Amino acid sequence: MEINPNQLPSDPAALRQMVVGLLGEAVERERKLRQLQHWVEQLLRARYGPRRERANENQLFMFAAEIMARAEKTPPASGETEAPPAGAKSTPQRPGHGRGALPKSLPRQRVVHDLGEGARQCPQCQGELKRMGEEVSERLEYVPASLVVIEEVCPKYACPKGCTVVTAEKPMAPIEKGLAGPGLLTQVAVSKYGDHLPLHRQADIFRRQGVEISRQTMCDWMRACADLARPLYELMKQCVLGSKAVQTDDTPVPVLDPALPRTRTGRIWTYVGDDDHPYTVYDYTPNRSRDGPEKFLKEFQGFLQADAYSGYDHFYEDAQRGIVEVACWAHSRRKHYEAQSSDLMRSTVVLAYIHLLYAVEREARDQKLDSAARRTLRQAKAKPVLADLRAYLEREQPQVLPKSPEGQAIAYTLSNWKALVRYCEDGDLEIDNNGAERSLRGVAVGRKNWMFYGSDHGGRTAAVLTSLIATCKRLHIDPFAYLRDIFDRISSHPKSRLAELLPDQWKAGLPSSAPS
């Protein structure tokens, strides 16, 4: 509202209306200013601040600290004792600090540092010293990897009378008539999708060893490896869809497009199976439309734990799909954490309540409770905290502006409340979706190294090979040992026994002395 101070109206009603308009503009301007300040603070935190969402205990208000202290002093419910609940296991001793023993599986070379001839005489009686033992210490050394040329010889046999000529056959190779052996293919795959080493750096490493291998050649190798392992990938996908609960999330990835002067944004989705189906499977889509999850989860029935992405809503609305929503408390906590700069009091109280919920989960994890015992513990300790938290949010919601950061955080939590508290009803469910977020951490790290996918086909190749490598890491399997064996065997392995090559079954088939 533009006002000329030399032409102010003399009518009190008009002046009053002018003042009301100015106050409204001031309030709106203040709201926009606070919103901009909030965005700047979040950008600075994302760029320079810590990633961990840890509340500063020095900033907790008295009632927030009182909530936490009261929960820590809560006596056990009637009929309970201080003994661990049913299904609990003894808490393991944490390993101490310091240098541990080197693995017995590592090859050892014995180097003896002996005394010289002149030093083997007694300095007093000049008699010859006799060996009485030895002191042994270990030092870890590194031997650089090297490329080896394998000459595959196939002898020929001919009939002396000239009837026939027979040549011995070579075993099937991972890439027919290809230069690379299974070990080299595995090295390239694990280095890129497991250790996030882009192909141009690998080309430099091979060049230092005297071999010139172009990036395009290695790209073709990875595509062939993904096609080779795709039946195993599809089997892992079916196993994940058989889980009782699946965690999912997604992250953007730049993708080259010949039709554009710049990269466009593709999407990598992760689907994490439960403990009975310990596989992590990735899926690539050219965009973030709901068609990707719709196609992947077409046959899934069970609990789906994800963020509040609207593309999942139609899964939950269709009762015939049999998909039940489980929300993530980490996402809710993050919104309240980010709102501290605009409303420290309310956000701190909510963070204190959420801290109590995670304290219950830590207790269950430390005691290694089974599913039934964990549900019992949540019903006894987490459910009352959730009831108090909801009452607090409903009481405070009318007191905050709907578009303020804390107002949006409260609205997010209450609108997803039914899905947020569902984890208390089943001990097999998790409080948050952090398992899926952790599985995407490797993609985020790799994205800063290899920068982009070369095409949509390159994204699908990455999804297949990353699924195998991430599952190996989840099961504490050496990805190189696994893929080296798989690439060597899968071409001639019977399709009816493909399940034997799944990472968990492959690990179970290892000799007991073999390191994982």
Side-chain angles (χ1 to χ4, degrees), residues 125-186:
C125 67
Q126 303 303 315
E128 184 179 358
L129 299 179
K130 301 295 183 181
R131 182 168 177 170
M132 58 174 290
E134 61 185 12
E135 292 182 1
V136 180
S137 61
E138 292 184 334
R139 183 177 70 249
L140 193 62
E141 187 55 275
Y142 176 75
V143 178
S146 60
L147 294 171
V148 178
V149 178
I150 305 297
E151 294 184 354
E152 297 182 317
V153 180
C154 299
K156 293 183 177 181
Y157 296 88
C159 176
K161 297 181 181 181
C163 300
T164 184
V165 176
V166 179
T167 304
E169 294 184 357
K170 296 188 300 183
M172 295 184 64
I175 301 178
E176 192 63 27
K177 297 182 180 179
L179 175 67
L184 180 56
L185 295 175
T186 303

Side-chain angles (χ1 to χ4, degrees), residues 95-311:
H97 298 283
R99 184 174 66 187
L102 296 176
K104 297 296 184 182
S105 58
L106 293 179
R108 280 166 166 76
Q109 296 180 2
R110 182 178 174 88
V111 179
V112 180
H113 304 283
D114 206 347
L115 295 174
E117 290 291 340
R120 295 182 190 176
Q121 294 180 350
C122 177
Q124 298 180 5
C125 67
Q126 303 303 315
E128 184 179 358
L129 299 179
K130 301 295 183 181
R131 182 168 177 170
M132 58 174 290
E134 61 185 12
E135 292 182 1
V136 180
S137 61
E138 292 184 334
R139 183 177 70 249
L140 193 62
E141 187 55 275
Y142 176 75
V143 178
S146 60
L147 294 171
V148 178
V149 178
I150 305 297
E151 294 184 354
E152 297 182 317
V153 180
C154 299
K156 293 183 177 181
Y157 296 88
C159 176
K161 297 181 181 181
C163 300
T164 184
V165 176
V166 179
T167 304
E169 294 184 357
K170 296 188 300 183
M172 295 184 64
I175 301 178
E176 192 63 27
K177 297 182 180 179
L179 175 67
L184 180 56
L185 295 175
T186 303
Q187 174 64 24
V188 175
V190 174
S191 296
K192 179 175 182 180
Y193 301 108
D195 301 329
H196 322 300
L197 191 64
L199 295 182
H200 72 273
R201 296 183 193 169
Q202 296 192 54
D204 292 339
I205 294 173
F206 293 140
R207 190 176 298 113
R208 290 200 298 267
Q209 299 181 19
V211 179
E212 191 76 30
I213 304 177
S214 68
R215 284 180 291 172
Q216 183 59 50
T217 298
M218 287 187 280
C219 283
D220 295 340
W221 288 352
M222 294 301 97
R223 177 180 296 187
C225 289
D227 293 340
L228 188 67
R230 187 166 296 278
L232 194 57
Y233 167 83
E234 294 295 335
L235 183 57
M236 290 173 55
K237 173 182 173 181
Q238 294 303 317
C239 292
V240 167
L241 295 179
S243 300
K244 177 180 179 180
V246 171
Q247 293 188 349
T248 182
D249 205 349
D250 66 286
T251 189
V253 285
V255 183
L256 287 181
D257 192 333
L260 298 175
R262 62 186 184 281
T263 61
R264 56 178 172 82
T265 302
R267 221 72 193 181
I268 281 287
W269 307 76
T270 180
Y271 299 91
V272 181
D274 56 21
D275 291 340
D276 294 330
H277 307 81
Y279 311 109
T280 301
V281 177
Y282 297 86
D283 185 36
Y284 169 81
T285 58
N287 51 55
R288 208 195 180 198
S289 69
R290 72 179 190 181
D291 296 339
E294 172 68 38
K295 181 179 179 181
F296 193 96
L297 299 170
K298 185 176 182 180
E299 301 176 1
F300 174 68
Q301 290 186 343
F303 294 98
L304 183 64
Q305 189 165 26
D307 55 17
Y309 170 51
S310 59

Side-chain angles (χ1 to χ4, degrees), residues 30-103:
E30 179 68 17
R31 185 190 68 80
K32 290 183 178 180
L33 178 61
R34 291 191 176 187
Q35 187 178 49
L36 290 173
Q37 289 177 338
H38 174 71
W39 289 347
V40 169
E41 289 173 356
Q42 298 309 312
L43 288 173
L44 290 175
R45 175 176 171 266
R47 183 67 179 86
Y48 302 108
R51 300 295 183 185
R52 189 169 183 179
E53 298 164 1
R54 175 181 290 177
N56 188 349
E57 295 182 0
N58 295 326
Q59 295 179 348
L60 291 176
F61 287 88
M62 184 182 300
F63 42 81
E66 183 180 347
I67 291 172
M68 299 171 65
R70 185 171 67 248
E72 293 175 354
K73 297 179 180 179
T74 301
S78 59
E80 294 183 0
T81 63
E82 294 296 332
K89 301 179 180 179
S90 59
T91 303
Q93 292 283 344
R94 291 189 176 182
H97 298 283
R99 184 174 66 187
L102 296 176

Side-chain angles (χ1 to χ4, degrees), residues 194-500:
D195 301 329
H196 322 300
L197 191 64
L199 295 182
H200 72 273
R201 296 183 193 169
Q202 296 192 54
D204 292 339
I205 294 173
F206 293 140
R207 190 176 298 113
R208 290 200 298 267
Q209 299 181 19
V211 179
E212 191 76 30
I213 304 177
S214 68
R215 284 180 291 172
Q216 183 59 50
T217 298
M218 287 187 280
C219 283
D220 295 340
W221 288 352
M222 294 301 97
R223 177 180 296 187
C225 289
D227 293 340
L228 188 67
R230 187 166 296 278
L232 194 57
Y233 167 83
E234 294 295 335
L235 183 57
M236 290 173 55
K237 173 182 173 181
Q238 294 303 317
C239 292
V240 167
L241 295 179
S243 300
K244 177 180 179 180
V246 171
Q247 293 188 349
T248 182
D249 205 349
D250 66 286
T251 189
V253 285
V255 183
L256 287 181
D257 192 333
L260 298 175
R262 62 186 184 281
T263 61
R264 56 178 172 82
T265 302
R267 221 72 193 181
I268 281 287
W269 307 76
T270 180
Y271 299 91
V272 181
D274 56 21
D275 291 340
D276 294 330
H277 307 81
Y279 311 109
T280 301
V281 177
Y282 297 86
D283 185 36
Y284 169 81
T285 58
N287 51 55
R288 208 195 180 198
S289 69
R290 72 179 190 181
D291 296 339
E294 172 68 38
K295 181 179 179 181
F296 193 96
L297 299 170
K298 185 176 182 180
E299 301 176 1
F300 174 68
Q301 290 186 343
F303 294 98
L304 183 64
Q305 189 165 26
D307 55 17
Y309 170 51
S310 59
Y312 299 125
D313 291 344
H314 69 290
F315 294 156
Y316 315 132
E317 295 169 357
D318 187 358
Q320 296 181 352
R321 292 291 298 267
I323 298 180
V324 182
E325 180 183 10
V326 183
C328 172
W329 272 107
H331 283 82
S332 177
R333 179 180 60 187
R334 186 173 303 133
K335 293 183 178 297
H336 292 282
Y337 181 85
E338 293 174 351
Q340 289 182 103
S341 58
S342 61
D343 196 335
L344 181 61
M345 182 186 70
R346 293 185 177 89
S347 60
T348 304
V349 174
V350 176
L351 291 175
Y353 276 114
I354 297 177
H355 175 85
L356 297 181
L357 297 178
Y358 275 87
V360 176
E361 298 304 304
R362 283 194 298 272
E363 181 179 347
R365 185 170 58 250
D366 292 342
Q367 297 181 6
K368 295 189 177 296
L369 301 182
D370 59 16
S371 174
R374 185 157 68 156
R375 180 185 181 278
T376 302
L377 181 67
R378 288 172 174 173
Q379 292 287 322
K381 294 189 175 183
K383 208 165 185 180
V385 177
L386 288 167
D388 291 345
L389 174 55
R390 181 172 185 176
Y392 176 80
L393 293 175
E394 291 176 343
R395 184 171 66 251
E396 295 297 323
Q397 188 175 29
Q399 310 300 324
V400 298
L401 295 175
K403 292 186 179 181
S404 66
E406 183 61 23
Q408 293 177 348
I410 292 176
Y412 175 89
T413 304
L414 290 178
S415 63
N416 294 284
W417 187 260
K418 187 176 180 180
L420 282 170
V421 302
R422 184 163 282 127
Y423 81 99
C424 283
E425 306 301 327
D426 195 316
D428 289 326
L429 302 179
E430 300 294 336
I431 189 174
D432 54 35
N433 199 34
N434 285 350
E437 292 200 353
R438 283 192 299 270
S439 68
L440 289 174
R441 189 174 300 167
V443 179
V445 173
R447 191 170 50 206
K448 297 179 180 180
N449 289 273
W450 36 254
M451 303 300 290
F452 52 80
Y453 290 149
S455 63
D456 290 336
H457 202 122
R460 288 187 284 270
T461 294
V464 173
L465 297 177
T466 307
S467 298
L468 296 173
I469 294 173
T471 301
C472 286
K473 292 182 178 180
R474 176 178 176 181
L475 296 173
H476 306 290
I477 299 172
D478 178 9
F480 184 91
Y482 173 74
L483 287 182
R484 172 65 174 81
D485 190 37
I486 294 303
F487 290 160
D488 198 21
R489 294 168 51 191
I490 194 171
S491 298
S492 57
H493 196 80
K495 187 177 181 180
S496 59
R497 293 165 47 197
L498 188 62
E500 296 176 358

